[in-house]
Amino acid sequence: MTDSPEGTPAAENAAPHAVSRRRLFGAVGAGAVLAGAGAVIGRVTADENSGTDHADVVAFRGEHQAGITTPAQDRMHFVAFDVTTKSRDELITLLQTWTAMAERMTAGQEATEDGATGDGPYAPPSDTGEALDLAPSQLTLTIGFGPSLFDDRFGLADKKPAALLDLPHFRADNLDPNRSGGDIAIQACANDPQVAVHAIRNLARVAFGTASVKWSQLGFGRTSSTSTTQATPRNLFGFKDGTANIKAEDPNALAQHVWVDPTDDQAWMAGGSFLVARRIRMLIEQWDRAVLKEQEAVIGRSKRSGAPLGAKDEFDELDLDSKMGHDFVIPEDSHVRLASAEELGGIQILRRGYNFTDGSDGFGHLDAGLFFVAYCRNPVEQFVPMQQNLSRHDALNEYIQHVGSAVFACPGGLADGKDWSSQLFT
Amino acid sequence: MTDSPEGTPAAENAAPHAVSRRRLFGAVGAGAVLAGAGAVIGRVTADENSGTDHADVVAFRGEHQAGITTPAQDRMHFVAFDVTTKSRDELITLLQTWTAMAERMTAGQEATEDGATGDGPYAPPSDTGEALDLAPSQLTLTIGFGPSLFDDRFGLADKKPAALLDLPHFRADNLDPNRSGGDIAIQACANDPQVAVHAIRNLARVAFGTASVKWSQLGFGRTSSTSTTQATPRNLFGFKDGTANIKAEDPNALAQHVWVDPTDDQAWMAGGSFLVARRIRMLIEQWDRAVLKEQEAVIGRSKRSGAPLGAKDEFDELDLDSKMGHDFVIPEDSHVRLASAEELGGIQILRRGYNFTDGSDGFGHLDAGLFFVAYCRNPVEQFVPMQQNLSRHDALNEYIQHVGSAVFACPGGLADGKDWSSQLFT
Ligand code: HEM
Ligand code: HEM
C-alpha cells in the first residue's frame, strides 16, 4: 500500500505494505510471457490490511484468453462498448492500444509506460492513478465481439461466426435495450474491485472518439466456482452455485463444451469461446416468502449442504430417476433437472456469474440479482436450447426476470507479438 | 468456506476453509459483550482463497456505535428506509427486532436463531442464507434517524435534535430526490461485500409492512482511512484520500468534532454522532483530460505521494502561507485549503466515504463517483459551513456534481440489554 520503496515516509504509516505496481515492474517485467494464459505466475505479496490478499498475476498471453477457466476471481466489472468510429483503421488502432494497456495492467503495472504522473505536469496523466498502490489482484481482461460488429461498417461481414447470432426472445424475457447488446465487450475480473474498475475505466478512457460505453455492470461477488480448488459460493437465493459447473481441471469437458475447435466455424475463433451475458433480476422478496421446502424443490438441491435432493453430499450425482411415491425426488420443474446435461442431450456450459446489487427499484425493494455469464463453444447449440428449456418449464421463473442480454465471440489467447486485432482483422 | 465442521464432504472440496458462521458461534457466542464497540474482538480465521482475510468480529455494543471510528472496512452497503407504518409500537418492535439481528450478524451468525434452514421445511427460512459460509468480515451496522422521522407520526417531535435539519441547498447541487433523505439509515460496512449486502437485505426483509427501502448504495472500495493503522486508499480521481482525516487514535479530536456531548443537544444523542451522506458523481472524463499540474492544483496535493504541494511527504502539514511569486503554493481555490480547519475556524469532520460505480450514464460514460459519508458532532456547525465554502470556491466543482444528500442522527452505542429503540423512545 505504498507507491514508494521501503524507507520512504509512507512507510511510517504503520500498515503492512504490499508490493507496489512500480516495484512489481522490476520483479515481473512488462515482457514476461508464460505458457498458458490463466496460469497464476507469481504470488507477489499479501497485504493484510487491504482486503486484497490475492496479489497474483494471471498470465495475459497463452492458448486461450484468461478470465474463462481462471479460477473465478471475487469481483467483476463488465463493460459493453458501441464502436462510434466508422474507420476500420481507427478500430484496429484502438484494439492494439487496448492490448498493450491490458497486458500491462494484468501484470500489475500502470496502464501506460508514462503512468499516472510520469508524463510531466503539462500532460493529462495517461493512467488515472486509482490503482497505483494496489496489487495485481489476479486481474484478467477478456475481450469479445458482438454480432453488431459484423455489419457493413468495418468489412467484417465475412468473418462473422455462424454461431454468433443475437439471442432469440425467450419466454418472459423483459429486456432493457440499454443493458443489452454491444459491439465489443470487456470482462474485467479481479480480487480487488478497484483494480477491475480501474482497468475498465482506463480502457474506456482511451477509446474516446472510437468507442463509447453502452452499458456496464459491477458484480460484487462471484457466484460460481470454475475450479476444483475453489469452495462453492452462494448466490442471493442463498444456494450454493457452481457445484455441477464445468471445472478448469477437466480438459475433456473444456474441449467438448467450451473451446471453439478450428473446424467448428471461423478460423479466427480457434481456441476461443462464446460469452453469453444475462442480467437476471432476482425477486428476492417473493423468494424470501417461500418456505424452505419450496425453495429446495425449485432448485432441486438442499439449501444448506448443496446436495441434490435425496442425496447427502454436495458433490453427489443428481439421481433424476428416483421417486418418492408418484413424484420425482428432484422435481420435474426443478432448475437443476432442467439445466442438466442428462435432460439436454449432453449439453453443458461453463458458468462464471456474479451477484449484483444496484440500488433500489423504486418500489421499496433492492434491485439485486445474478449477472449470469457463461462460456460455451456454440451458443446456438448450447445456451439457447438450455435457456429455452428453462424459460418454458423452470419453477425458478416465478422468482427471477431476465432484464439484460448479450452474446460475444471471444477469440483464442494471444501468442507473442499478437494483439486483439490480429485474429479478427487478418 | 464450508457450513459443516471438518471431515464432512464439503471439506473434500480442496479449498482452504474459513471458520463458518456455525462453528464461530461456539467460539464467540451470541452473548459475548466487550467494552468499547468498534474494538476488534478476535481474529477468527483467514481464508486465503476467498478475498476476505478479515475474519474479525467487531463488537456490536459499547460506548459508541461501531462503524464510525472502526478502521474503515473495504466495502459498504448503505440503505435509507421510509417508515411505512403509522404505529409507534410497530416501529419500536422493528427496531428491537433489527437490534437482535444486527447483533447476531455482526458476530458472524445467521440473522436469527432459526437461520437459513433451521426453522423447518414448511416455514420461509428466517435467514436468506447467502452469507452462510462467510466469515464475520468485520461487519458493522450503524443506525441513524433522519429529520423526517421526527414529524408528527410517532410522537418524536420533542426528541428532534436541533442540529438535525435537512441540509440547505448548496450551489450547483443537482439532487435526485430518489437518492436523498429517508427516515432511517443503516450503514453496513464489511470486508466482504456479500456480508454487507446480506445484512442489509435481511434487515430490509423483516421490515416488510413497517419500513421500505427508499434508496441504497453499494460502495466497492473505501476511500478514507479512519485509523493510523491503515494505509491511505485512493479515490477515483487517483488521489490519496483520508490523509488529513480525523483518526480513531486521536481521542481529543473525536471528542471535539465527532461525538455528541450530553450537554450539546438532545440527551438521547449522548455519545452519538451525525452522519452526512452525499452521493457525488465524479465527471471522470473531464478530469482525465486535465493535465497533472491542474489536477494537483485543484486538490492541493501531489498525485503520486499525496504530499501537500510544496512539501515532501504525505503526512507533512499543509503550509497555507507559502508563496511562489504572487501565488500561493497551495492555491486559493484548492480543495484541501478550502476544507482545512485553518480556513474554517477549526472545523473538522470524520470522513468515511466509498468509491462507487453504478453502470453507465446513458451518454457513453461510466456513472462513478464518491459516496461521501462523514460523521460530525453538529452538521449545522461543521458540515454545512465546510460544504458552503467548498460549493462556492472549490476548483474541484468543475469535475464533480452532488446528486444525493441525506443527514441522520446516530445515537450512541448500546449498553447491555438496550436496543435501537431504547435511546429514542424512552
Ligand atoms: C438467477 C438465476 C439463476 C439461479 C438463482 C441459478 C441457481 C442455480 C443453482 C443454485 C444451481 C445448483 C448448483 C450448481 O450446480 O451450480 C444451478 C445449477 C445450474 N444452473 Fe442455474 N441459476 C440461474 C440461472 C441459470 C441460467 C440462466 C442458466 C443457463 C441458461 C443456468 C444453468 C445452470 C446449469 C447448467 C446448472 C447445473 C445443472 C446440473 O447439471 O446439475 N442457470 N443454478
Ligand atoms: C468527489 C468529491 C471529493 C473528492 C474527490 C475529494 C478528495 C479529497 C482529497 C484527495 C483530499 C486530500 C487528502 C486528505 O486529506 O484526505 C481531501 C481532503 C479533504 N476533503 Fe475532500 N473530496 C471530495 C469531497 C469532499 C467534501 C464534500 C467534503 C466536505 C464537505 C470534503 C472534505 C475534505 C476535508 C475536510 C479534507 C481534509 C482537508 C485538510 O485538512 O487537509 N471533501 N479531499
Side-chain angles (χ1 to χ4, degrees), chain A residues 10-333:
Chain A
E12 291 165 26
N13 192 16
H17 289 87
V19 172
S20 75
R21 310 220 131 200
R22 290 214 292 187
R23 281 175 60 198
L24 182 72
F25 186 89
V28 175
V33 175
L34 283 101
V40 167
I41 63 171
R43 171 163 287 267
V44 178
T45 180
D47 180 338
E48 289 223 311
N49 266 29
S50 74
T52 55
D53 67 345
H54 306 274
D56 305 328
V57 173
V58 178
F60 179 69
R61 293 176 187 272
E63 189 186 348
H64 307 292
Q65 286 196 70
I68 302 174
T69 59
T70 308
Q73 299 96 323
D74 292 333
R75 329 278 169 223
M76 188 204 56
H77 196 199
F78 191 100
V79 66
F81 291 96
D82 282 331
V83 178
T84 51
T85 182
K86 293 202 171 106
S87 153
R88 178 179 163 112
D89 288 346
E90 278 179 26
L91 175 55
I92 292 176
T93 304
L94 175 64
L95 291 169
Q96 291 169 341
T97 307
W98 271 356
T99 312
M101 292 171 71
E103 183 159 20
R104 290 182 57 89
M105 290 190 289
T106 54
Q109 300 154 24
E110 296 176 54
T112 58
E113 210 166 320
D114 289 334
T117 53
D119 32 11
Y122 299 102
S126 54
D127 177 286
T128 55
E130 71 272 21
L132 261 183
D133 323 318
L134 304 176
S137 310
Q138 291 188 345
L139 174 67
T140 56
L141 293 163
T142 312
I143 196 165
F145 304 112
S148 53
L149 192 70
F150 298 84
D151 58 14
D152 50 15
R153 285 174 294 168
F154 309 106
L156 292 173
D158 290 352
K159 292 287 180 73
K160 186 172 183 176
L164 186 68
L165 300 176
D166 280 319
L167 297 175
H169 174 84
F170 298 104
R171 198 166 139 184
D173 271 4
N174 184 12
L175 304 184
D176 178 351
N178 295 322
R179 295 193 188 269
S180 300
D183 291 333
I184 303 181
I186 297 180
Q187 169 198 281
C189 295
N191 290 319
D192 185 326
Q194 184 127 330
V195 169
V197 170
H198 168 263
I200 292 296
R201 175 198 177 177
N202 278 272
L203 298 175
R205 190 168 69 88
V206 299
F208 185 75
T210 308
S212 76
V213 174
K214 182 167 162 64
W215 56 272
S216 81
Q217 179 68 53
L218 186 74
F220 68 76
R222 71 178 171 94
T223 179
S224 257
S225 31
T226 59
S227 163
T228 56
T229 63
Q230 300 188 292
T232 314
R234 289 181 189 267
N235 60 37
L236 293 180
F237 283 163
F239 276 76
K240 293 195 180 182
D241 204 332
T243 305
N245 205 10
I246 296 179
K247 302 282 159 77
E249 291 77 10
D250 188 348
N252 293 337
L254 294 174
Q256 197 183 335
H257 304 293
V258 178
W259 304 128
V260 175
D261 187 274
T263 63
D264 280 3
D265 199 327
Q266 292 281 351
W268 68 268
M269 276 293 288
S273 192
F274 291 88
L275 184 171
V276 175
R278 305 280 292 182
R279 186 174 189 270
I280 309 179
R281 176 86 196 277
M282 290 161 74
L283 310 176
I284 55 184
E285 294 73 23
Q286 273 91 315
W287 180 260
D288 289 347
R289 266 174 257 143
V291 305
L292 178 62
K293 204 175 160 67
E294 154 83 356
Q295 294 187 357
E296 295 186 333
V298 165
I299 298 295
R301 287 180 175 269
S302 135
K303 189 162 192 177
R304 190 172 282 273
S305 69
L309 292 183
K312 245 191 83 207
D313 298 334
E314 182 191 348
F315 293 100
D316 286 349
E317 301 259 308
L318 300 182
D319 181 351
L320 296 174
D321 300 325
S322 117
K323 288 196 167 190
M324 182 95 123
H326 290 291
D327 298 324
F328 285 107
V329 173
I330 297 180
E332 290 193 272
D333 61 354

Side-chain angles (χ1 to χ4, degrees), chain B residues 60-61 91-101 103 143 145 411-426:
Chain B
F60 179 69
R61 293 178 185 270
L91 175 56
I92 291 175
T93 303
L94 176 64
L95 292 169
Q96 290 168 342
T97 307
W98 272 355
T99 310
M101 293 172 70
E103 181 159 22
I143 197 166
F145 304 111
L414 294 178
D416 282 12
K418 301 292 180 187
D419 63 68
W420 280 341
S421 76
S422 309
Q423 293 133 317
L424 187 52
F425 285 92
T426 47

